Amino acid sequence: MDVRFKIAPSGISVDESGLKFDISDFDGYAVEAALQIKEKQADPAASEVVVISLGPDVVQETLRKAMSMGADRAVQLKYDGPIHDSYAIASALAAELKGGSYDLVMFGRMSIDTANQATGTIAAELLGLPIITAISKLDIEGGRVKARRELEGAYELVECPLPAVVTIDEGIARPRYPSLKGIMAAKKKPLESKPAQVGEERYKLDKMELPPERAAGRIIGEGKDAVPELVRLLKEEAKVL
Amino acid sequence: MTVHLADPDHNTSFTKGVFLGEIRESLVFPFPELSSEEKENLAAILDSFRAWAKDNVDSAKQDHDGHFPDNVRSGMAELGLMGMNIPEEYGGFGASAMMFNRVFGEIGATDPALTVYFGAHQSIGCKGITLFGTDDQKKRWLTKCASGELIAAFCLTEPGSGSDAQAMRTTAVPSADGKSYTLNGQKIWISNAGYAGVFTVFAKVPVEIDGKPKQRVTAFIVNAHAPGVSLGKIEEKMGIKASDTRAVTFENVVVPVEDMLGEVGHGFKIALEILNSGRLGLAAGSARGTRRILDIALGYAKEREQFGRPIGSFEMIQRKFAVAAAECYAADAGWMLTASMVDKGGIDFSLETAACKVFASELAFKSSVDAMQIAGGIGYSKEFPYEQAVRDSRINMIFEGTNEVLRALIALSGLQQPGEHLKAIGKAFRDPLHSLGAIGSFLGERVKRQVVKPSFPHAHPALKDEAEQIATVVHDLALGVEKLLIAHGKDVIEHQFQQERMANVAIDVYLATATLSRASWAINKAGGVDKAQADLDNAKIFIPMAMRRARRNVRALERNQDARMKSLAERALETGSLTVAAPTDS
């Protein structure tokens, strides 16, 4: 069934009724890249992929999906209110990640719903770790990240020591489809839920608006005779000529 | 052997009760629900399948090419779907019938040929091993079937043996040392034959009974790559073209005795049991396929304008959608209710799966023809999905038991108990002095049945009239059945005009009952009629429509033109033509 995209009465969030949430595309690439790194290790069982999401209980479904793809465990940083400032989100993630002995923290390049792309960068800064953004190819060699970043008509190869933060662009890997076995296994994997230590929001969202609806079309006439009138209207009314 | 089979002495049946004038309401109320865990699992599986199918399955291209690309087959295996209804201990997912058939439906709505691949493998191909295999057989074969490493196929039909499985010619002769059987014969129309690594094969084994040589149908698990197995060319079919259908020939194929499935002589029962549950998938697939093609037609009817308005606003188009919606509602209710019977166990669902398959397969074909009609000229074009839907849906009325054979199965199985009952009474009448008790209770039952109608105490009050209509039909059918049996006795087996009518009544009664149960559940769940208007509308259209048909069929048990119908048909058969002399003849 089609669900129409609507803004909630508050005017600063989306009406979520009937909407189904899924992993943001870039986060999906990040999960897949993480799983592939793990699978490439000499002893895959010795490394661990953990997925973390901040949000209300509905994110548990998303975390479960990442675990059905193969992630080992999940953490929900529970937060029910609307949140917009990347700094506030990043500070909650950094609080969770601090002291977690992670070698690599992977973010999607951006969230596709709000087009927000600062969270990973701010988290790296708060954690005091190096960051490489918008990676399209990634290798771990000798304790270092070797990454490729796509530029307009070119690319650059960069590297930095672990531990590090990276944000993942498309093209790195298509996320795998959860298998029936993965789905069942995910149900037994640990999903920890704890309150998010959200930092101060330093900007506020004032208002969301849908683009104005297009006016209905008008038929001016048929054949050659209608052309002068059409040109006049395009000039005077629509002002496009 | 554990017999899972439909056995009226052990397992109760809703439809067999209908032939006796009974409504066994506890078998059909309340409407089944999924647990929240099952719901989550199902949502995750469907999400994953849809995402994969969107990226990988191109139904029109596969139809055109006549085969699946490799990534489609490998993808199905990687998703774990090829082991969906294989038990977990043998590497499968161990899905309930409810889950399995829902996913079957989803695959069917995505690409019918792909469901044939999926269903021929585990609904029938290796289902026999799941149901009747020893632990050793399951370990050796099922685990590989579950991973998709081995694809299974079901080999029953032969050139001279289709619906009549007893006419089978394939033989399996035991070796002198008793260590193996040698298989010879040919099977045709074998779905998945070209992909198969393992076959379930039915063959006749020579045995001696009371000193006389006999042949007994027996099931075998056969390595598809064993020496002596050869495949025919791919059949060019009207629809489900990407599915691989071929003849399979067995020439002195040696089958180790460890691969006999069940016991000698149990093959026929095993085949029936496999098909009894297997055909429910076709019902679920047909129902969902119906919805898919009508959804496409709905989109078109909203867009396409004639006389300045969308054609969907015209009532001739609306009638098609309304009837299809109500019938789809019933078909879905039917397979879901039946799946819950399969899952509960201890219930004979053999006639219900047959009823669902007959109803849904005819619905899918009719609806795809309607969808094509709504689409007009473009419906006939290969650029649009309608004509493929017409071709693909047609097979469901033919395979896994033709709808004619299934109707005969429903009628004759339904008549069994009333027939036995009357036979006992017949004997009693011949010796009335010693059987007064039996005659008394028979007459008493009869009087009671005339006065006390069966009912549905748990139907929602808003559907009271509809419930009564069904109950009246059940009551009248039983009376009609009794008269028929008194008139014909066991010769009723020859009266297929009547069998078809009785079967149609039983099918309509079952689908109407499933609809009643589903709508009652929906109204209760929503907390009122006003909150479940769509359910109410569907039930109030479907049940009276089906019961009008049923009443007509019940009446026709007594008043019909069967003799004239027979003479028309026999004249045509004799002359080999339908032609009657006409003024325009030349």
Side-chain angles (χ1 to χ4, degrees):
Chain A
M1 218 182 287
D2 290 347
V3 177
R4 271 185 173 268
F5 187 82
K6 275 187 302 217
I7 291 169
S10 70
I12 56 161
S13 61
V14 172
D15 180 355
E16 292 178 1
S17 54
L19 291 185
K20 204 177 141 29
F21 287 85
D22 201 352
I23 301 180
S24 180
D25 291 5
F26 295 100
D27 294 343
Y29 306 139
V31 171
E32 178 62 37
L35 294 173
Q36 289 188 11
I37 291 171
K38 175 177 165 156
E39 284 159 2
K40 267 188 230 156
Q41 302 304 304
D43 177 15
S47 55
E48 187 186 41
V49 174
V50 183
V51 283
I52 303 174
S53 184
L54 181 147
D57 287 347
V58 66
V59 306
Q60 290 188 9
E61 203 181 312
T62 318
L63 290 168
R64 204 59 84 181
K65 181 174 175 182
M67 289 195 286
S68 70
M69 290 168 67
D72 299 288
R73 63 184 175 89
V75 179
Q76 175 198 8
L77 302 177
K78 190 171 159 62
Y79 189 77
D80 289 317
I83 183 165
H84 302 104
D85 186 349
S86 300
Y87 172 78
I89 299 170
S91 58
L93 291 169
E96 170 62 21
L97 290 162
K98 200 153 260 170
S101 73
Y102 297 101
D103 294 310
L104 192 60
V105 181
M106 304 171 78
F107 286 84
R109 179 171 71 77
M110 61 187 275
S111 57
I112 53 162
D113 47 4
T114 59
N116 190 330
Q117 39 192 331
T119 310
T121 316
I122 300 172
E125 177 64 21
L126 294 173
L127 290 166
L129 294 178
I131 178 163
I132 309 174
T133 57
I135 287 175
S136 64
K137 199 170 179 308
L138 175 67
D139 284 307
I140 307 291
E141 270 177 47
R144 294 180 76 78
V145 184
K146 296 191 170 183
R148 171 174 157 143
R149 301 181 69 240
E150 295 303 318
L151 307 175
E152 190 76 41
Y155 61 83
E156 52 181 41
L157 298 174
V158 286
E159 54 174 280
C160 73
L162 294 173
V165 177
V166 293
T167 75
I168 304 295
D169 204 347
E170 63 190 316
I172 196 156
R174 281 180 86 86
R176 63 195 66 188
Y177 310 97
S179 71
L180 268 59
K181 277 213 170 75
I183 290 165
M184 292 317 284
K187 304 187 84 82
K188 297 190 188 106
K189 291 177 180 175
L191 193 161
E192 187 190 355
S193 176
K194 49 177 139 175
Q197 298 171 41
V198 171
E200 182 200 352
E201 280 206 88
R202 298 189 292 194
Y203 75 76
K204 287 270 177 261
L205 179 71
D206 287 335
K207 199 176 170 194
M208 290 173 95
E209 257 183 3
L210 293 174
E213 279 201 31
R214 286 171 59 177
R218 218 178 339 151
I219 293 171
I220 298 151
E222 273 181 37
K224 272 190 257 175
D225 300 345
V227 174
E229 174 67 359
L230 176 65
V231 171
R232 187 189 69 80
L233 287 170
L234 287 173
K235 269 189 185 151
E236 292 171 17
E237 214 171 273
K239 300 194 168 86
V240 291
L241 290 183
Chain B
M1 181 174 85
T2 329
V3 178
H4 303 246
L5 285 168
D7 177 351
D9 294 334
H10 294 100
N11 301 327
T12 175
S13 150
F14 177 80
T15 298
K16 288 179 183 171
V18 165
F19 279 81
L20 293 163
E22 295 171 21
I23 290 174
R24 297 172 180 167
E25 201 202 27
S26 64
L27 296 177
V28 290
F29 274 83
F31 198 71
E33 279 189 79
L34 291 180
S35 68
S36 60
E37 195 191 336
E38 278 181 310
K39 251 188 186 155
E40 274 174 29
N41 290 345
L42 184 59
I45 294 168
L46 290 176
D47 268 2
S48 187
F49 172 75
R50 287 184 190 129
W52 171 80
K54 196 166 156 246
D55 295 341
N56 290 281
V57 178
D58 183 341
S59 184
K61 184 171 188 307
Q62 288 160 201
D63 174 63
H64 177 268
D65 296 349
H67 62 84
F68 302 114
D70 291 344
N71 63 310
V72 167
R73 294 184 51 229
S74 62
M76 289 289 283
E78 279 157 24
L79 286 170
L81 288 168
M82 299 315 275
M84 186 156 188
N85 76 352
I86 291 171
E88 277 182 271
E89 67 243 65
Y90 301 106
F93 180 76
S96 65
M98 194 68 118
M99 294 267 272
F100 179 74
N101 285 292
R102 175 64 185 81
V103 172
F104 197 112
E106 192 69 25
I107 301 174
T110 307
D111 181 41
L114 192 58
T115 25
V116 173
Y117 176 70
F118 172 78
H121 171 67
Q122 57 193 319
S123 276
I124 55 175
C126 62
K127 181 80 178 190
I129 309 176
T130 305
L131 290 176
F132 301 103
T134 61
D135 182 54
D136 166 61
Q137 288 170 337
K138 289 177 183 175
K139 277 191 188 128
R140 283 188 293 119
W141 296 104
L142 275 190
T143 46
K144 287 179 188 164
C145 289
S147 66
E149 182 187 337
L150 281 186
I151 297 303
F154 181 79
C155 300
L156 178 65
T157 302
E158 297 184 2
S161 164
S163 301
D164 176 10
Q166 295 292 6
M168 184 177 293
R169 300 277 296 272
T170 299
T171 56
V173 178
S175 62
D177 61 6
K179 285 187 178 159
S180 64
Y181 284 84
T182 303
L183 201 62
N184 276 290
Q186 193 188 37
K187 300 287 179 177
I188 57 167
W189 304 122
I190 307 307
S191 299
N192 281 354
Y195 302 128
V198 58
F199 295 121
T200 299
V201 182
F202 297 87
K204 281 184 167 168
V205 171
V207 290
E208 208 168 279
I209 295 172
D210 302 332
K212 284 180 198 152
K214 301 259 182 191
Q215 293 198 307
R216 287 288 174 264
V217 177
T218 306
F220 294 91
I221 307 166
V222 180
N223 177 354
H225 306 300
V229 175
S230 59
L231 301 177
K233 66 170 181 53
I234 293 185
E235 300 288 350
E236 281 200 46
K237 306 185 296 298
M238 169 181 173
I240 53 161
K241 289 188 176 189
S243 73
D244 185 294
T245 315
R246 302 168 192 252
V248 181
T249 306
F250 302 95
E251 203 181 337
N252 295 321
V253 177
V254 177
V255 182
V257 74
E258 303 86 70
D259 283 340
M260 186 166 79
L261 193 55
E263 291 169 31
V264 171
H266 285 175
F268 193 57
K269 282 183 176 177
I270 289 175
L272 282 184
E273 174 80 348
I274 292 168
L275 292 168
N276 275 341
S277 62
R279 57 176 67 103
L280 192 56
L282 296 186
S286 296
R288 197 131 292 254
T290 302
R291 277 214 239 162
R292 171 192 160 257
I293 197 66
L294 283 165
D295 284 354
I296 296 172
L298 278 167
Y300 182 73
K302 280 202 279 192
E303 296 286 316
R304 168 74 170 170
E305 293 200 357
Q306 286 291 277
F307 308 104
R309 48 197 268 215
I311 61 168
S313 69
F314 291 103
E315 289 180 355
M316 286 197 208
I317 303 295
Q318 290 183 349
R319 188 193 59 81
K320 294 187 199 347
F321 286 128
V323 172
E327 289 183 333
C328 236
Y329 185 92
D332 275 334
W335 78 254
M336 286 188 267
L337 184 61
T338 312
S340 78
M341 292 178 178
V342 177
D343 288 334
K344 272 184 205 152
I347 300 173
D348 168 8
F349 51 78
S350 56
L351 302 193
E352 286 70 24
T353 55
C356 289
K357 188 267 195 184
V358 169
F359 182 82
S361 62
E362 289 172 6
L363 169 64
F365 183 65
K366 187 182 72 163
S367 299
S368 52
V369 170
D370 276 350
M372 172 183 268
Q373 189 68 19
I374 290 163
I378 73 152
Y380 202 65
S381 159
K382 274 201 173 283
E383 276 182 49
F384 297 88
Y386 305 98
E387 63 86 33
Q388 191 190 339
V390 170
R391 289 185 288 107
D392 283 347
S393 62
R394 187 61 184 81
I395 186 61
N396 294 311
M397 290 151 69
I398 298 172
F399 67 6
E400 290 200 38
T402 66
N403 286 8
E404 286 73 17
V405 154
L406 294 182
R407 284 187 162 97
L409 170 83
I410 292 169
L412 294 177
S413 308
L415 287 173
Q416 214 169 2
Q417 280 176 293
E420 280 162 15
H421 194 54
L422 283 172
K423 208 163 111 191
I425 292 306
K427 275 187 196 147
F429 272 107
R430 278 196 293 277
D431 189 8
L433 284 179
H434 293 99
S435 313
L436 278 178
I439 293 172
S441 76
F442 169 69
L443 294 175
E445 276 289 310
R446 230 175 145 182
V447 170
K448 197 173 115 203
R449 208 185 302 152
Q450 306 257 8
V451 180
V452 185
K453 276 191 196 170
S455 65
F456 287 101
H458 289 89
H460 192 275
L463 292 164
K464 187 167 156 279
D465 288 353
E466 286 71 20
E468 257 178 45
Q469 288 185 30
I470 303 172
T472 305
V473 166
V474 171
H475 174 256
D476 294 350
L477 173 69
L479 293 179
V481 160
E482 205 176 272
K483 279 188 195 160
L484 208 63
L485 281 168
I486 290 169
H488 300 297
K490 66 178 193 306
D491 289 343
V492 78
I493 199 160
E494 286 300 322
H495 292 265
Q496 287 206 342
F497 290 124
Q498 300 286 38
Q499 288 172 28
E500 188 169 30
R501 289 187 187 108
M502 288 184 282
N504 285 341
V505 174
I507 292 166
D508 273 333
V509 163
Y510 183 60
L511 272 299
T513 299
T515 303
L516 182 71
S517 177
R518 177 179 174 186
S520 296
W521 166 84
I523 294 167
N524 289 329
K525 178 116 183 148
V529 170
D530 49 330
K531 293 189 189 96
Q533 201 59 50
D535 291 272
L536 191 76
D537 286 346
N538 277 307
K540 282 195 176 280
I541 291 297
F542 181 75
I543 298 172
M545 184 168 72
M547 290 307 97
R548 272 195 300 278
R549 271 195 305 255
R551 282 194 297 273
R552 209 159 49 231
N553 277 318
V554 170
R555 266 200 310 277
L557 288 174
E558 284 196 65
R559 284 200 307 277
N560 55 54
Q561 298 230 62
D562 290 358
R564 204 180 296 281
M565 293 274 282
K566 198 170 178 64
S567 94
L568 257 183
E570 288 184 343
R571 185 182 301 118
L573 283 162
E574 206 178 293
T575 60
S577 163
L578 303 179
T579 315
V580 175
T584 51
D585 283 355
S586 66

